[in-house]
Amino acid sequence: MSSVATIKRNNIPPHLEVKGGRPLSGILKVSGAKNSSLALMAAALLTKEKLLIQNVPQLTDIEVMSEILRNLGAKLTKINNSIEINSESIHNVELPYELVNSLRASFFCVGPLLTRLGEAKIPLPGGCNIGARPVDEHINGLKALGAEVEVINDVVKAQVSTKDKRLLGANITLKYPSVGATETILMASCLALGKTTISNPAREPEIQDLAKMLNSMGAKVFGAGTKRITILGVKSLSGTSHCVIPDRIEAGTFLIAAAITRSPLIIGPVIPNHLSAVISKLKECGCSISQHGNHHLKIIPREISGVDITTSPFPGFPTDLQAPFMSLMVTAKGSSKIKERVFEKRMQHVLELNKMGACIYLENNTAYIKGVKELVGSYVEGGDLRSSAAIILACLSAKGNSIFTGLEHLDRGYEKLEEKLTSAGSIISRKFDQLTSHSSFSNKIISKDNIDTQKNAA
Ligand code: UD1
């Protein structure tokens, strides 16, 4: 990560300028779920008929997935937030490394390709800036369904050699409820011969959304969202029209934006039970949250106190909101402890938050936080998608102006973020011009003693 002092004047990427310390008001609109959309787009490869997906957010990750589908031979028509996908003539079984490397979710195509064309060659996605992210559970699941899978020179080569090139139903137990592996197995088993069960599957709402769309295509998927999914294989799937669920991670980010700026806000559309763990922690730390109409939540923050969180698979506290929640805890009264248990390298925001005056001590994957009275506007850089969101929330609450770089991460997962925040009263704008040097901002090193000795810091 570049420190401010090393950034050269002629080499500054586009950035956001944020005027901090302003309250928000009104409504923040939530887009369709990115993670659902990516899996649903891959599932479109399972049918020769046209499939319409609505409420798809306009994000760079969606652009890359669109490019991947086109690369395989699918035709895409986009109008605003709808994408029509026609996969009748897909012919390519191989994905290029560049596309897989820029979007891990591209691996979702393995199941549909095996099912439709009997073969798939996909480079291993490899680790990324939040962890190693192996795909062993995906591969074990495909093997259990009868695929022959080998990894040669970091390329996963899978094929179906049965007489009719159909995968065979199987009983699969996941060692860990991986979201991606559950989606891969779900997509691969819909057209398999016979019955498949997935024990210990991921129970995230995105799995339920995928199962709902597959069922409307004619699949027979039962129990998505529970501890066991059963799939009865069918011979073919048809086209359909499906509306993506609201993005619970974006909604959670907005609830935290309200809390960190101590502003009452209305947020929606949301499906409240997708956010139970987050709502419960926000209530515990001092927010009043109530249903507003059928699809919105109203949040009224009061005095915010430190609470502890530990991330875990759904219905636990989502790892994708760990970083944003940490920004809130930094400004809370008292101390808190945040444990990251899903990914091993998901604490990139800590250094940046400390730069802004936070008091966070990191030990392995646990952050010990002592709330401070205020954060100070700084020159900050996002290192991954959710740490970028966390840093922007901190910028909104900070005293003074901040400059945020790392838009390539942010644009992967937040649709028109600065437009939405501006409409709620923030002063935040995207700049493409050069920056002047801000070498006066410095990195602050926090030791455990800082946490222990600042007991009454906020
Ligand atoms: C998805 C989400 C991501 C979210 C994550 C956890 C998408 C596109 N991304 O990622 O935003 O943070 O769920 O909610 O939907 N693992 C293995 N072997 C495997 C697969 C996973 O060991 O074969 C491990 C991973 O390294 C990680 C943990 O399981 O430590 C969770 O990963 P997983 O649930 O698979 O996350 P993704 O599907 O990659």
Side-chain angles (χ1 to χ4, degrees), residues 99 135 211 278 311 387 405 411 457:
L99 288 177
V135 287
V278 181
T311 63
S387 75
T405 60
D411 291 344

PDB file of all heavy atoms in Angstrom, residues 99 135 211 278 311 387 405 411 457:
ATOM      1  N   LEU A  99      -9.465 -12.859 -17.208  1.00  0.00           N
ATOM      2  CA  LEU A  99     -10.835 -12.638 -16.732  1.00  0.00           C
ATOM      3  C   LEU A  99     -11.063 -13.312 -15.378  1.00  0.00           C
ATOM      4  O   LEU A  99     -11.645 -12.731 -14.470  1.00  0.00           O
ATOM      5  CB  LEU A  99     -11.849 -13.150 -17.757  1.00  0.00           C
ATOM      6  CG  LEU A  99     -11.970 -12.311 -19.040  1.00  0.00           C
ATOM      7  CD1 LEU A  99     -12.938 -12.956 -20.012  1.00  0.00           C
ATOM      8  CD2 LEU A  99     -12.422 -10.895 -18.725  1.00  0.00           C
ATOM      9  N   VAL A 135     -10.319 -23.454  -3.801  1.00  0.00           N
ATOM     10  CA  VAL A 135     -11.590 -23.931  -4.386  1.00  0.00           C
ATOM     11  C   VAL A 135     -11.737 -25.448  -4.216  1.00  0.00           C
ATOM     12  O   VAL A 135     -12.436 -26.102  -4.979  1.00  0.00           O
ATOM     13  CB  VAL A 135     -11.743 -23.521  -5.881  1.00  0.00           C
ATOM     14  CG1 VAL A 135     -12.021 -22.050  -6.021  1.00  0.00           C
ATOM     15  CG2 VAL A 135     -10.523 -23.918  -6.694  1.00  0.00           C
ATOM     16  N   ALA A 211     -31.505 -20.450  -5.763  1.00  0.00           N
ATOM     17  CA  ALA A 211     -32.420 -21.604  -5.795  1.00  0.00           C
ATOM     18  C   ALA A 211     -33.784 -21.171  -6.337  1.00  0.00           C
ATOM     19  O   ALA A 211     -34.422 -21.895  -7.115  1.00  0.00           O
ATOM     20  CB  ALA A 211     -32.562 -22.186  -4.395  1.00  0.00           C
ATOM     21  N   VAL A 278     -26.895  -7.912  11.892  1.00  0.00           N
ATOM     22  CA  VAL A 278     -26.389  -6.537  11.833  1.00  0.00           C
ATOM     23  C   VAL A 278     -27.328  -5.606  12.601  1.00  0.00           C
ATOM     24  O   VAL A 278     -26.886  -4.766  13.399  1.00  0.00           O
ATOM     25  CB  VAL A 278     -26.276  -6.091  10.356  1.00  0.00           C
ATOM     26  CG1 VAL A 278     -25.722  -4.682  10.263  1.00  0.00           C
ATOM     27  CG2 VAL A 278     -25.410  -7.068   9.584  1.00  0.00           C
ATOM     28  N   THR A 311     -17.200 -12.478  13.179  1.00  0.00           N
ATOM     29  CA  THR A 311     -17.854 -12.793  11.898  1.00  0.00           C
ATOM     30  C   THR A 311     -18.056 -14.307  11.771  1.00  0.00           C
ATOM     31  O   THR A 311     -17.255 -15.093  12.274  1.00  0.00           O
ATOM     32  CB  THR A 311     -17.025 -12.305  10.703  1.00  0.00           C
ATOM     33  OG1 THR A 311     -15.764 -12.992  10.696  1.00  0.00           O
ATOM     34  CG2 THR A 311     -16.783 -10.805  10.778  1.00  0.00           C
ATOM     35  N   SER A 387     -13.065  -2.889   2.760  1.00  0.00           N
ATOM     36  CA  SER A 387     -12.253  -1.953   3.549  1.00  0.00           C
ATOM     37  C   SER A 387     -12.410  -0.557   2.954  1.00  0.00           C
ATOM     38  O   SER A 387     -12.390   0.442   3.671  1.00  0.00           O
ATOM     39  CB  SER A 387     -10.786  -2.387   3.619  1.00  0.00           C
ATOM     40  OG  SER A 387     -10.120  -2.139   2.423  1.00  0.00           O
ATOM     41  N   THR A 405      -8.372   7.155  -2.163  1.00  0.00           N
ATOM     42  CA  THR A 405      -8.018   6.470  -3.414  1.00  0.00           C
ATOM     43  C   THR A 405      -8.309   4.978  -3.231  1.00  0.00           C
ATOM     44  O   THR A 405      -8.328   4.483  -2.102  1.00  0.00           O
ATOM     45  CB  THR A 405      -6.536   6.658  -3.799  1.00  0.00           C
ATOM     46  OG1 THR A 405      -5.735   6.130  -2.747  1.00  0.00           O
ATOM     47  CG2 THR A 405      -6.186   8.122  -4.021  1.00  0.00           C
ATOM     48  N   ASP A 411     -15.702   0.507  -6.787  1.00  0.00           N
ATOM     49  CA  ASP A 411     -16.610   0.411  -7.935  1.00  0.00           C
ATOM     50  C   ASP A 411     -16.995  -1.031  -8.255  1.00  0.00           C
ATOM     51  O   ASP A 411     -17.909  -1.275  -9.031  1.00  0.00           O
ATOM     52  CB  ASP A 411     -15.979   1.072  -9.166  1.00  0.00           C
ATOM     53  CG  ASP A 411     -15.893   2.587  -9.004  1.00  0.00           C
ATOM     54  OD1 ASP A 411     -16.575   3.125  -8.122  1.00  0.00           O
ATOM     55  OD2 ASP A 411     -15.134   3.223  -9.761  1.00  0.00           O
ATOM     56  N   ALA A 457     -11.424   7.423  26.552  1.00  0.00           N
ATOM     57  CA  ALA A 457     -11.136   8.311  25.434  1.00  0.00           C
ATOM     58  C   ALA A 457     -12.400   8.845  24.764  1.00  0.00           C
ATOM     59  O   ALA A 457     -12.377   9.884  24.137  1.00  0.00           O
ATOM     60  CB  ALA A 457     -10.270   7.605  24.419  1.00  0.00           C
TER      61      ALA A 457
END
